[in-house]
Amino acid sequence: MRKTLIYCMLTGLFYSALSGESSLPIPPLLEGEEITLTVQQGTLALPFGDSDTLGYNGDYLGPTLRFSEGDSFNVLVDNTLNEDTTVHWHGMHIPAEFDGGPRQVVSAGGTWNPRFTIRQDAATLWYHPHLMGKTAEQVYRGLAGLIYIEDEFSRSLNIPREYGVNDIPLVLQDRRIDRDGRFRFAPAMADIMHGYTGNALLVNGAYKPELEIAGGTVRFRILNGSNSSIYRVRFSDGRKFTVIASDGGFLPETVSTDNLVLTSGERYEILVDLEKNEKVSLLTDIYGSDTHTAMTVDTDRSRPVLYEHPGRLRPFSIPGEETPAETRTFLMQTMGMMGFAINGKSMSMDRIDETIRLDTTEHWIVENRRTGMMAFPHSFHVHDVQFRILSLNGEAPPPLLSGPKDTILLYPGDTYRLALRFRDYEGIYMYHCHFLEHEDSGMMGQFEIIP
């Protein structure tokens, strides 16, 4: 264990000295009545060496899918791998049979065609595998992509919206570079307990890339696409920026801050003003590890286009949140060598853990109880719904947590009270820790929505 830590520290220092020479890759934008995602093998070239990877429609990561509220979602998934996979549409309000969890397996060489109508507000979501026991490995190897949903409200705002120009997607991922310059997924027991963290930080699949833009007001849509890392994101000069949205859409009011903390799977949208002929770095502090230069932003001498940052945005509440039909408690538990559990139970595909009535509102109390030496951070993600945080440790949530959420971070001792509304669809969905090594080791359960 000690030798592993020393090696990681040394390689981290070595790789931090390397400078990225590439431009920030911008994932292709796909939209339309029919979209095809091909799950395929690939190779990712980095300054350290080439790694064997997986991707959607390419070597690594996948295209950004863009829809509007009310659109028909029609995506053909073509799995060309020699192994099974799934595609989970993280954050989407979706019929259970198209959720893409471990129940909707796309066999090796097979296809899958989820089709439904989009019934949710504008948001930045994402998609990734959710295969039972294999989620961590397949995400680590590169299977992930973003989803944009727009609606009348989002189009009415005077904010940057030109994809890849002043509306920039940022998928942040740390990867562990071995002595041969490659990354691969080979977790030891300590990695499963603490999460499989890395010594190099990638942005859209590139190491220390540079983004050259005209300047002015830029909208960054940030995803923590790591397996299990907690990131604090900030700029090298300490400048403030404006947060306009969280996981499931716009905040009730914007928040001015100089840093953001995101757990695996969380998203935020920010606005930042950049002057002409300016250069600034985006820094990422990894919880329990090092600070990484994620990317550099370099503006040219053209006249920057500045937008007035909005104040009030979209009010958010859950119908019936004051009179819940049911209150449930979810204890996030570390079971030592036995893995992880929720309410003392490890995941079983043969067991429905919670049964919920359609068109009802519930309160869920989620607790990461301290257990001495087994006190680890966890997260909690619920499929199908965006919830509202009613309280954190008995207090009103901070403004950054006042918008629609589907993923939360729980440090040891944290307790959340959530309000959730279950509407439109019946069927079986998942809730789980989004530290993927924990999820694969049993920290997941199933709930069924019934008439």
Side-chain angles (χ1 to χ4, degrees):
M1 176 67 177
R2 184 180 178 187
K3 289 182 179 179
T4 301
L5 290 174
I6 292 173
Y7 166 68
C8 288
M9 292 171 61
L10 290 175
T11 53
L13 291 171
F14 172 73
Y15 290 123
S16 66
L18 290 175
S19 60
E21 299 177 353
S22 61
S23 298
L24 176 72
I26 302 297
L29 181 65
L30 295 185
E31 49 191 340
E33 296 182 358
E34 296 182 1
I35 292 173
T36 297
L37 288 179
T38 301
V39 191
Q40 60 189 72
Q41 295 180 339
T43 301
L44 181 64
L46 294 171
F48 341 107
D50 296 347
S51 295
D52 295 330
T53 56
L54 302 177
Y56 300 105
N57 296 5
D59 288 327
Y60 189 78
L61 298 181
T64 299
L65 313 183
R66 186 163 66 185
F67 304 93
S68 291
E69 194 275 334
D71 280 355
S72 174
F73 182 102
N74 181 6
V75 177
L76 177 66
V77 177
D78 182 12
N79 181 14
T80 67
L81 305 179
N82 58 6
E83 59 183 294
D84 296 346
T85 191
T86 80
V87 185
H88 169 53
W89 319 103
H90 182 126
M92 295 200 80
H93 176 51
I94 190 169
E97 63 266 33
F98 299 136
D99 178 57
R103 289 180 168 271
Q104 290 84 45
V105 175
V106 188
S107 300
T111 60
W112 182 52
N113 185 202
R115 303 178 69 169
F116 60 94
T117 299
I118 293 177
R119 299 178 177 178
Q120 66 188 103
D121 295 337
T124 300
L125 314 175
W126 67 302
Y127 59 97
H128 62 80
H130 208 305
L131 188 64
M132 186 73 174
K134 295 278 288 184
T135 299
E137 179 180 356
Q138 291 192 348
V139 171
Y140 196 85
R141 293 170 67 188
L143 290 180
L146 289 171
I147 303 171
Y148 289 5
I149 296 179
E150 305 292 347
D151 62 10
E152 290 185 7
F153 180 79
S154 69
R155 286 188 286 267
S156 73
L157 297 174
N158 185 30
I159 56 177
R161 64 182 72 256
E162 190 173 355
Y163 182 79
V165 177
N166 59 12
D167 184 351
I168 310 294
L170 299 180
V171 180
L172 306 181
Q173 300 170 304
D174 55 287
R175 294 293 180 260
R176 186 176 302 179
I177 309 300
D178 289 340
R179 293 180 183 275
D180 61 2
R182 299 182 179 188
F183 67 79
R184 58 177 61 86
F185 188 74
M189 178 57 68
D191 298 315
I192 294 173
M193 300 296 287
H194 295 277
Y196 197 66
T197 57
N199 51 15
L201 197 286
L202 306 184
V203 186
N204 297 351
Y207 180 71
K208 291 187 178 181
E210 184 171 285
L211 174 64
E212 295 184 0
I213 52 178
T217 303
V218 180
R219 178 184 186 181
F220 290 114
R221 306 198 194 210
I222 304 172
L223 162 68
N224 180 343
S226 72
N227 274 36
S228 301
S229 297
I230 303 168
Y231 296 150
R232 183 166 72 99
V233 177
R234 56 193 173 89
F235 287 96
S236 55
D237 60 358
R239 72 177 60 204
K240 288 194 171 184
F241 48 86
T242 300
V243 185
I244 62 173
S246 56
D247 295 339
F250 292 106
L251 297 174
E253 296 185 5
T254 58
V255 177
S256 177
T257 185
D258 60 5
N259 74 95
L260 278 175
V261 175
L262 301 91
T263 191
S264 173
E266 274 191 300
R267 292 88 64 206
Y268 279 105
E269 297 182 34
I270 70 171
L271 302 179
V272 59
D273 292 333
L274 299 167
E275 302 295 333
K276 65 180 181 180
N277 198 28
E278 183 176 20
K279 196 166 189 175
V280 65
S281 294
L282 184 71
L283 305 180
T284 300
D285 307 316
I286 301 181
Y287 176 82
S289 183
D290 300 321
T291 296
H292 297 260
T293 298
M295 59 181 283
T296 300
V297 182
D298 194 359
T299 64
D300 62 26
R301 297 177 182 273
S302 64
R303 186 174 182 178
V305 178
L306 294 171
Y307 291 74
E308 182 178 352
H309 294 203
R312 290 185 178 273
L313 286 169
R314 173 173 267 163
F316 177 58
S317 62
I318 299 291
E321 64 181 32
E322 296 181 355
T323 56
E326 188 84 32
T327 298
R328 305 174 193 266
T329 298
F330 299 84
L331 298 179
M332 313 297 284
Q333 297 168 304
T334 302
M335 311 296 284
M337 298 295 290
M338 298 173 61
F340 299 90
I342 301 177
N343 291 340
K345 297 179 288 187
S346 292
M347 172 65 182
S348 171
M349 292 286 286
D350 298 326
R351 185 188 67 240
I352 301 299
D353 298 285
E354 309 289 339
T355 302
I356 299 166
R357 291 288 180 183
L358 184 66
D359 292 328
T360 61
T361 296
E362 296 194 352
H363 285 186
W364 286 14
I365 300 170
V366 187
E367 181 179 354
N368 182 8
R369 188 173 297 172
R370 292 183 180 275
T371 54
M373 295 297 291
M374 291 299 180
F376 297 104
H378 293 296
S379 63
F380 191 72
H381 169 55
V382 185
H383 290 207
D384 180 50
V385 300
Q386 293 290 332
F387 49 74
R388 189 163 95 86
I389 299 173
L390 300 177
S391 67
L392 169 57
N393 298 328
E395 304 289 338
L400 282 172
L401 298 181
S402 63
K405 294 284 292 173
D406 56 56
T407 305
I408 51 175
L409 170 63
L410 297 101
Y411 292 109
D414 279 350
T415 299
Y416 286 80
R417 180 180 285 266
L418 314 176
L420 310 89
R421 179 75 180 179
F422 301 92
R423 60 184 178 89
D424 297 324
Y425 307 122
E426 302 169 14
I428 300 172
Y429 299 91
M430 307 291 158
Y431 57 85
H432 56 87
C433 179
H434 216 281
F435 290 4
L436 299 184
E437 287 76 36
H438 295 182
E439 173 191 323
D440 281 348
S441 298
M443 205 168 214
M444 180 162 60
Q446 300 183 103
F447 67 95
E448 184 174 10
I449 303 175
I450 63 173

